[in-house]
Amino acid sequence: MQTKLAKTLGIEFPIFAFSHCRDVVAAVTNAGGFGVLGAAGLPSGEALETELEWLDRHVNGRPYGVDIIIPNKYWGQEEKEAAKLLESVRANIPNEHREFVSSILAKHNVPELPADEDYESKLAMTEATAQPFVDVSLLHENVKLIVNALGTPPRQVIDQVHASGRLIGALCGAGKHAKAHVDAGLDVIVAQGYEGGGHCGEIGSVVLWPEVVEIAGDIPVLAAGGIGSGKQMYAAMSLGAQGVWCGSVWLPSIESSNNPVSKRKMLEASSSDTTRTKYPTGKFSRCLKSEFTRAWEHTATPNPLAPPMQHFLMQEAFERMDRYPEKSADLMWIPVGQVVGRLNQEISCREIVAELVNEFIETNELMNRLLPSV
């Protein structure tokens, strides 16, 4: 399992764990994998600094990564000053959309937030807001990889990361995206199939992975989308991937900071209980079906806005659902992939890593037995 990328990063297993929870990142890293902290959910570079300082104290010198989100195209892209872009986004969200979201919350009796809380202060999915995350990340020696979750990173970010001696990568959902990553000189490409949780494309994993591997050439490819077992990991690496990028499998883990309601819903869900929708961020992403996803599907409702406006529009709703999970059980946004059907117990991240590795080895032994002896 010591692929070239694993050796470059100095990790035992080529298992990359994306998570917004620092405890998951630390647990997987300490179990021999490579944790990647999702920074987009944090309100500021200062908040990320707090998370990375904690991680540095808990990973025992081991390497980990940081994931940011800078789409190739988004509303207000020409504005590079975060404060001005924030005000512009706030001013341009239609009242129709605000009223629609509020009506759904009211219909389900989700309590409002305290009047003195500013839930409209955070903007995400823009270059202006992601740049501080890059700057902060590169101050930490243990951060060895920066990954952009949506598209090829801006040129200046690529150059900045390379100048620091770190690796930079990006996710892709189609061959044309992989080609753009290659042309930009990225070091790692994460090929995420249709089955994956969160932002995903239209092409299934088994079709996408070998296509991206061929396009990438010598650039290492990580397989993502639908991986929750050692057998699936073996399949991905047999198609040329140098490791796997997993997100959903950690969500109901013991270390995960997800609330008990969302964990329960994931553990009870089947693989057919997810949907691909634009309603959370303005870009297609996969999550559990809910009354919110169904509400946005009606032809009479407004269409989701472009990023970053849609995510900004939904901030109050997400905060209220997180704050009052029992009241919001039927509405809750739970980004997770189709592999959710395999997630049926709350176990530790170390146990998950061990299961992936052991089943990988067992699968390899099975395949070797299928070959004639010589």
Side-chain angles (χ1 to χ4, degrees):
M1 299 180 74
Q2 277 291 293
T3 62
K4 183 178 179 181
L5 181 59
K7 291 177 181 178
T8 298
L9 291 171
I11 58 176
E12 187 175 359
F13 308 120
I15 298 171
F16 292 71
F18 168 81
S19 177
H20 292 289
C21 175
R22 67 188 188 184
D23 294 271
V24 169
V25 172
V28 175
T29 298
N30 288 327
F34 189 93
V36 182
L37 181 69
L42 297 171
S44 65
E46 291 77 10
L48 177 60
E49 175 66 25
T50 299
E51 298 296 283
L52 299 188
E53 285 181 353
W54 184 93
L55 279 167
D56 287 343
R57 295 195 303 270
H58 289 82
V59 297
N60 302 309
R62 295 182 174 91
Y64 62 91
V66 175
D67 179 279
I68 59 174
I69 300 184
I70 308 176
N72 284 137
K73 295 180 181 179
Y74 57 89
W75 189 93
Q77 192 164 0
E78 66 283 353
E79 179 57 69
K80 303 303 180 183
E81 188 176 329
K84 290 182 179 179
L85 182 55
L86 173 65
E87 290 306 312
S88 184
V89 168
R90 178 183 284 121
N92 282 277
I93 292 178
N95 286 333
E96 175 191 16
H97 286 70
R98 292 183 183 275
E99 292 169 358
F100 174 65
V101 173
S102 295
S103 69
I104 298 173
L105 295 168
K107 179 181 177 181
H108 289 267
N109 299 312
V110 179
E112 295 188 4
L113 298 173
D116 60 348
E117 291 195 20
D118 182 11
Y119 52 82
E120 281 199 347
S121 61
K122 178 182 172 296
L123 190 63
M125 296 178 65
T126 74
E127 183 179 346
T129 53
Q131 184 62 54
F133 294 153
V134 178
D135 297 340
V136 167
S137 298
L138 297 181
L139 296 175
H140 292 260
E141 184 178 352
N142 292 333
V143 175
K144 301 299 184 183
L145 173 67
I146 303 292
V147 176
N148 186 35
L150 277 175
T152 306
R155 183 74 257 167
Q156 70 271 16
V157 172
I158 298 173
D159 292 343
Q160 179 185 7
V161 174
H162 281 161
S164 75
R166 325 298 173 89
L167 302 182
I168 185 166
L171 274 71
C172 73
K176 63 181 180 180
H177 304 145
K179 179 64 165 56
H181 295 344
V182 172
D183 293 343
L186 299 192
D187 306 295
V188 180
I189 297 175
V190 182
Q192 168 134 310
Y194 173 82
E195 302 95 324
H199 293 110
C200 59
E202 299 178 320
I203 303 173
S205 293
V206 175
V207 174
L208 179 68
W209 295 338
E211 179 182 358
V212 173
V213 166
E214 184 174 346
I215 292 170
D218 293 334
I219 300 173
V221 173
L222 298 176
I227 297 173
S229 71
K231 292 178 181 177
Q232 291 161 327
M233 180 178 176
Y234 188 93
M237 295 181 69
S238 71
L239 291 172
Q242 289 199 27
V244 292
W245 175 281
C246 307
S248 299
V249 71
W250 321 106
L251 292 173
S253 67
I254 290 173
E255 292 87 348
S256 171
S257 58
N258 284 321
N259 64 67
V261 175
S262 65
K263 284 188 178 184
R264 183 182 72 238
K265 291 184 76 68
M266 283 186 280
L267 294 173
E268 294 173 351
S270 71
S271 295
S272 61
D273 288 331
T274 70
T275 187
R276 189 167 164 268
T277 173
K278 284 188 174 182
Y279 105 82
T281 69
K283 292 280 190 179
F284 275 115
S285 63
R286 185 173 297 284
C287 61
L288 285 185
K289 295 174 183 176
S290 70
E291 292 302 313
F292 238 130
T293 65
R294 283 184 273 272
W296 281 99
E297 291 171 356
H298 294 165
T299 56
T301 60
N303 292 322
L305 301 167
M309 299 178 76
Q310 181 67 18
H311 186 264
F312 189 82
L313 165 71
M314 294 300 303
Q315 279 190 103
E316 180 190 1
F318 293 152
E319 180 62 30
R320 287 167 67 177
M321 288 187 282
D322 286 343
R323 191 78 60 89
Y324 309 108
E326 293 292 346
K327 293 279 189 178
S328 309
D330 294 333
L331 292 176
M332 196 172 291
W333 176 41
I334 305 176
V336 67
Q338 291 180 334
V339 75
V340 69
R342 289 185 54 89
L343 310 180
N344 51 27
Q345 57 180 332
E346 186 176 356
I347 61 176
S348 72
C349 291
R350 180 172 290 276
E351 289 176 291
I352 295 170
V353 170
E355 286 186 357
L356 288 168
V357 172
N358 290 334
E359 192 173 80
F360 180 98
I361 294 170
E362 292 170 0
T363 304
N364 184 60
E365 293 172 349
L366 170 64
M367 297 306 293
N368 286 336
R369 289 198 297 270
L370 294 177
L371 295 173
S373 57
V374 292

